[in-house]
Amino acid sequence: MVYFKGITGMRKLLYIIIVITGAFAGCSHSPAKPTLIKKVANLELADFDTFFKEFKSDSVYQVLHVKFPFRTIASGEEGSDTVKYIPKDKWRNISFKNEKGDIYKRNQLSKTEVVIKYMVEDTGIYNEFDFLYNNGKWQLVGFRDGSD
């Protein structure tokens, strides 16, 4: 009987040694590879279309991706512009509907800047929505009303 207790104890000890060795072998003190981080950042950066789809359809997501106070510019007569800032508590979600005559154009100015132009055919309505990639996420940072 003593012999079996010794084997069982040895098995426990061997099991503990294997577990501890495996745990330490899996540890690494080397930092994450920059290339992997860069690839993830580029994937998020390049994926404006996925972001914009979510931005249009989810009101909570939209508010989280608007830079406040939100800057609006309305073009006036003879080149005079009116600039206003909307605080978060006055924000109303933007509905990017797609009705007959609505025209949306995406203009990628750089890797981190996209302008969505919205026009309504034969009406003189012309708006621009400015998006920037900042602090790891896309944000709506401004609006310009250039309507006639």
Side-chain angles (χ1 to χ4, degrees):
M1 287 289 190
V2 176
Y3 181 71
F4 288 114
K5 284 185 180 178
I7 298 265
T8 305
M10 286 294 273
R11 283 186 180 167
K12 287 182 184 177
L13 181 61
L14 183 60
Y15 178 74
I16 291 170
I17 291 171
I18 290 172
V19 168
I20 291 172
T21 304
F24 282 114
C27 294
S28 174
H29 294 292
S30 63
K33 294 181 180 179
T35 55
L36 179 60
I37 293 169
K38 196 174 189 178
K39 285 180 184 177
V40 170
N42 285 339
L43 177 64
E44 291 175 11
L45 189 59
D47 204 15
F48 177 81
D49 292 330
T50 301
F51 156 77
F52 191 59
K53 183 178 179 182
E54 188 74 19
F55 186 86
K56 292 187 302 184
S57 64
D58 186 337
S59 61
V60 174
Y61 186 84
Q62 188 176 111
V63 171
L64 292 173
H65 289 84
V66 175
K67 183 180 180 209
F68 291 104
F70 182 69
R71 176 183 46 86
T72 66
I73 301 172
S75 298
E77 294 178 22
E78 299 178 20
S80 64
D81 291 342
T82 303
V83 179
K84 293 183 182 178
Y85 290 90
I86 301 171
K88 189 173 184 176
D89 62 335
K90 302 287 185 191
W91 177 255
R92 292 190 181 179
N93 284 333
I94 300 169
S95 173
F96 289 91
K97 56 188 175 191
N98 200 5
E99 296 179 359
K100 186 176 181 180
D102 289 350
I103 302 167
Y104 289 95
K105 290 187 179 180
R106 174 184 165 184
N107 188 7
Q108 182 109 26
L109 302 177
S110 71
K111 287 183 176 183
T112 59
E113 189 173 3
V114 173
V115 174
I116 299 293
K117 296 178 181 183
Y118 169 72
M119 297 154 276
V120 179
E121 193 172 31
D122 298 327
T123 64
I125 293 176
Y126 177 83
N127 298 318
E128 292 182 351
F129 300 89
D130 298 325
F131 292 89
L132 284 178
Y133 188 78
N134 191 18
N135 294 326
K137 68 179 185 177
W138 284 101
Q139 287 185 303
L140 177 63
V141 297
F143 168 79
R144 175 180 283 279
D145 183 354
S147 301
D148 295 341

